[in-house]
Amino acid sequence: MLRDKIANALKAAQEDNSKRRAATLRLITAAIMDRDTAAREQGRDGLSDEELMELLHTMLVQREQEATHCEANGKVELAVQEREEAEMIREFLPAQLSEYEMKLVCQTVVECVEARGLRDMGRCMAELKERYPGQMDFAKASCMVKQMLRAPQ
């Protein structure tokens, strides 16, 4: 489904003669095809939707870091281009949970899996990844869960 959405967006960008958007979407498509090929070499059918979202998230982070780097070096035009590409990539990712929402979700999961200590950390994170794929920064979520599990209950 996500692949179709990207392919349709590329087709629309080409029809609208939107060169920057088409170039960015071609870049995304090429990255997907490259990862699909690598997955097939490992005997899998290609990227799963979760892996595809991870790839898009990685591309998004790369664009944001590069924009920051360009701004720091006085290359404002390049930073603007990187941010535009980041926005195009963000269109295909699910909306991210806010810090407050992430804290509530983590607390709910800790309660649902009846986690009692750090030994339950893996179960909590597996549940979060299953319920909210691509919707949060799991490194931050991990820190939140760890803090909740360390707190006296």
Side-chain angles (χ1 to χ4, degrees), residues 113-125 145 149:
V113 299
E114 298 177 356
R116 298 290 175 236
L118 289 176
R119 70 183 184 284
D120 297 319
M121 181 82 183
R123 286 186 14 224
C124 293
M125 292 309 298
V145 170
L149 293 176

Side-chain angles (χ1 to χ4, degrees), residues 59-69 83 86 90:
M59 292 176 78
L60 175 66
V61 169
Q62 288 171 340
R63 298 305 176 288
E64 290 172 347
Q65 288 174 345
E66 186 61 27
T68 302
H69 179 72
R83 292 200 195 293
R90 194 173 276 121

